[in-house]
Amino acid sequence: MNMAKQRQIKLGAFIMATGHHVSAWRHPDSQADAGLNIDHYKELVQTAERGTFDLVFVADSPAGWDRTKDPEALRRSSQGAHFEPVTLWAALSQVTSHIGFVATASTTYEDPYLLARKFASLDYISKGRAAWNVVTTGADVSNNFSIPGHPAHADRYKRAEEFVDLVKGLWDSYEDDAFIRDKQSGIYLDPDKVHQLNHSGTFFTVSGPLNVGRPVQGYPVIVQAGASEPGRELAARTAEMIFTANQTLEDAQEFYGDVKGRLARYGRSQEDLLISPGIFPVLGGTEREAQDNYDYIQSLIHPSIAWSILQRHYKGVDLSGYSLDDRAPPLPADTELNKSRLKLVTDLVERNNLTLRQLYLAVAGARGHRTVVGTPEQIADAMVEWFENGAADAFNIMPPILPTGLTDFVDQVVPILRRRGLFRHEYEGTTLRENLGLARPANSFAVARDQREAG
Amino acid sequence: MNMAKQRQIKLGAFIMATGHHVSAWRHPDSQADAGLNIDHYKELVQTAERGTFDLVFVADSPAGWDRTKDPEALRRSSQGAHFEPVTLWAALSQVTSHIGFVATASTTYEDPYLLARKFASLDYISKGRAAWNVVTTGADVSNNFSIPGHPAHADRYKRAEEFVDLVKGLWDSYEDDAFIRDKQSGIYLDPDKVHQLNHSGTFFTVSGPLNVGRPVQGYPVIVQAGASEPGRELAARTAEMIFTANQTLEDAQEFYGDVKGRLARYGRSQEDLLISPGIFPVLGGTEREAQDNYDYIQSLIHPSIAWSILQRHYKGVDLSGYSLDDRAPPLPADTELNKSRLKLVTDLVERNNLTLRQLYLAVAGARGHRTVVGTPEQIADAMVEWFENGAADAFNIMPPILPTGLTDFVDQVVPILRRRGLFRHEYEGTTLRENLGLARPANSFAVARDQREAG
């Protein structure tokens, strides 16, 4: 009998206020004020924890999402106002005990010392359940940050590389055993185990030490989502989980193989980086019911929202001569914005010969992520297919409507994955790293000293 | 019979990890790892809420507190590692329901858009219980922020003025009734009630809108603590509560009268700004017991800590020829650092002809705030004297040791204040503004429109 533990699926709940579908807020089941409703988020994270999810995740932009200039589309958009992720997760860490919290934060618009500090705080406050989704921010939000303009793609990635290394260095300021706290002798800490980083680079000059102890997990888990060439390289060097968007098994396998193949170059092994594609599950008791559910939510999209979605993909292109039933023209090759997502949508259009209507309907829910419409068994099958064929280690579940889309997934799909022996019944550990099976990183200063002393 | 409601004392719990005394962490009753222990803070805020305190407060520096270069003092300092305040309070808002949260944040080292956003988040997450303690950061921590040096006192205050106005403008981005959220029609918001600030000033260029709705309280309560001339002026123009340090009734009355006297110039009334001196209460069942408690905690101060305290006050002065029993020499007139606190200590030394030992003992606990050693009745008397004689509207309670110093205050002093009819038995409202009796500010964009339409 083979006693080897079956490889297990990891699950993230990718939370978007009212749900991932662009018109989710109009659905009778959605919480229309979700973005600013803490009780709504509390319900969601507790539902995800009931389903023994590894983590919850929110995307983020340092400024408003919706930059449409069409007043009709603006009037109908629910995307403008929502919580800052670290504040939100800090709050919800107190009403949960095991689930991990992935907060998105920008290396282009935040400060590394303040960012290192707030994530270290979050890791302590949650008792080792913090993760940082490192983003460079594709959209130009420079007009809110007193800087002359949005840095170019290549510069953003150079800055991100330096930023991440610097933040890790700051998290190493205190060694794990730096604190002695002996009341009798009055010795509080060992100053030899507190380090100044003295970082001086292209973008930053930061001496340290950080004014927080070393995070419970050593470092919060590092997540990355870029799929461009510099994005993949940054991920291979620094990330422990990648959130990715793929439509087909083949594309997902290509991405999985490519990124995993880069790890050895950085002295890392296959298990050091988990690949987690998004999946947008539209559930129904039968296939027909699922399709009806999908059609209903798609019917809630107002034409002005449809055109604003199209205009976002056809940046700089005049669409005024087109009707929704015209064949979609070729997408422009925008060189700065959402490179990898643009390629994905371009492939989708070309593969399926879409009309403009079919194009906006294809991205209105999953925004380029994989859409699966079906019964709970069919959703589970779709996940297992990718998991067992070199395309995924984990999945980011993107419920169309919240809170019900998450509740349904937990109640209907999770039990199937458990029955198949592919998903946990109980959490293995108390920290996010323990549950994801990721090693706790050593302190770079301690490693350097050990090497000096050995050498 | 006079049915007019007696004016009520407001209370804040000024929390410092192990307690306010410099050697608190060595006391048997203290929680030695307090700065990084979320359960400790949870106990404290729940105790303060049990005592119907208006608020809890943490001071903060964007980088480590203790900059001593003496390795012996460093080894004995408990001040280096602690939570980031907004993250901390967001977490604790979920385990309380009425108490307010004052988070310190720096206008010199933080970014106004990100700061506006995190405080707006905190105000929603806590359902209207957030406050911002505006500080300009006296200590030079520029070496952690990739900037050439620490701005001078005058520049810091100029920047603070612009920063606060800008943040308030961002909080007004959405009018209170901007959100419609009508599922049937598909109208989510009224774009005429979403505003771009388009701020362009000396220090910042920020267009807005903020990506969070208008805070529950309109603005989080604005707190200020500077007592220099520009600090008083900033407070008179923008603050709704001042945290101050005074040793004597006369000094407190001077400060109270001076600041309240400046309000009319800005069209504000006396009730718009609450003055809250700190008080360091050393409790005992008898006067003798209280004095013994004080002597015991003072005895825990190691000589290296004593000298590091003295050196901080005698910046640039060589003290190597002095013994602790020598008369304290005149303090240097440092023009950049903690102006108001320095004057207070200078007055203390001159008034009492202190030796160096007496000087460090005088500031080792309360750091220049008022120390009261006595029975619960005596502590209450000391507070009431200032409250009834034009020196205080509120008090920041600074427990020497935590958690016990706060528990003792709640159990022993609060009941006395309640019996005297000077302190609430139950919270009046659910927001911090309601409990402090502060008006909810109008939205500046809405006011401007109303004036245009009326005019």
Side-chain angles (χ1 to χ4, degrees), chain A residues 7-62:
Chain A
R7 179 169 157 261
Q8 297 281 295
I9 293 175
K10 305 297 175 188
L11 284 185
F14 182 177
I15 293 179
M16 212 151 171
T18 54
H20 281 270
H21 193 278
V22 70
S23 294
W25 77 270
R26 297 188 65 187
H27 195 282
D29 291 345
S30 78
Q31 182 71 34
D33 68 351
L36 298 174
N37 183 330
I38 184 67
D39 293 329
H40 170 71
Y41 283 96
K42 181 175 168 180
E43 177 184 346
L44 295 175
V45 298
Q46 290 179 336
T47 298
E49 185 164 88
R50 180 165 64 76
T52 59
F53 272 55
D54 291 85
L55 57 92
V56 286
F57 159 56
V58 278
D60 192 60
S61 166

Side-chain angles (χ1 to χ4, degrees), chain B residues 54-55 100-101 128-131 217 221 430-436:
Chain B
D54 291 86
L55 58 92
F101 293 100
R129 297 186 280 143
Q217 297 183 101
V221 174
T430 60
T431 71
L432 178 57
R433 283 189 180 277
E434 286 165 2
N435 288 318
L436 291 176

Side-chain angles (χ1 to χ4, degrees), chain A residues 26-27 30 32 39 60 62 75-76 84 113 117 121 127 143-144 146 183-185 188 205 207-208 211, chain B residues 26-27 30 32 39 60 62 75-76 82 84 113 117 121 127 143-144 146 183-185 188 205 207-208:
Chain A
R26 297 188 65 187
H27 195 282
S30 78
D39 293 329
D60 192 60
R75 191 184 309 281
R76 293 170 178 281
E84 187 279 324
Y113 193 94
R117 189 180 180 210
S121 276
K127 301 186 179 176
N143 61 342
N144 285 317
S146 309
K183 291 190 175 197
Q184 201 49 47
S185 66
Y188 197 80
T205 306
S207 59
N211 56 353
Chain B
R26 297 189 64 188
H27 195 283
S30 78
D39 294 328
D60 191 58
R75 193 184 307 280
R76 293 170 178 281
H82 51 277
E84 188 278 325
Y113 193 95
R117 189 180 180 209
S121 276
K127 301 186 178 177
N143 62 342
N144 284 317
S146 310
K183 291 189 176 196
Q184 200 50 49
S185 66
Y188 197 81
T205 306
S207 58

